[in-house]
Amino acid sequence: MVRLSGIAVCLATLAVAVAPARGKSSPPRCRSVETATVTVACIVQADGSLADCVVVRESAPGCGFAEQAIAGAARARLPPSDTVRPGARVEMTMQFRYQ
């Protein structure tokens, strides 16, 4: 497994545009969440896309961040690399912040 560091920050910025909506329909414990972190693990495809992504860790479960992270990872592309080859399992951590 490869853990993405500098690349992950870049991917998170490109892949996840917004934190999930929150409001009166949000669970009460989620209304006060200002920041959240989600780590996903995915398989690298030949074209650099990520597939079969699953949530490994999340700091605010049930608040919608995991779903946003999975959706963002599905849109992400890794640049060609000698260290991350197709078929490799990679982990990346995405940080969300309400503004």
Side-chain angles (χ1 to χ4, degrees):
M1 175 180 16
V2 176
R3 290 184 193 266
L4 301 176
S5 56
I7 295 172
V9 173
C10 203
L11 283 174
T13 302
L14 295 172
V16 181
V18 294
R22 65 177 173 185
K24 292 181 181 180
S25 63
S26 299
R29 64 182 169 70
C30 297
R31 292 182 205 149
S32 63
V33 173
E34 293 299 321
T35 62
T37 303
V38 179
T39 300
V40 296
C42 306
I43 304 298
V44 178
Q45 303 299 295
D47 66 354
S49 64
L50 303 174
D52 301 323
C53 297
V54 295
V55 173
V56 178
R57 284 180 298 283
E58 60 181 307
S59 64
C63 295
F65 295 101
E67 292 82 358
Q68 289 290 71
I70 293 288
R75 293 187 307 267
R77 296 289 180 272
L78 292 177
S81 168
D82 291 334
T83 57
V84 181
R85 299 185 187 274
R89 181 174 184 254
V90 297
E91 283 188 5
M92 65 180 168
T93 300
M94 298 182 195
Q95 295 180 339
F96 297 84
R97 181 177 59 153
Y98 283 104
Q99 296 187 5

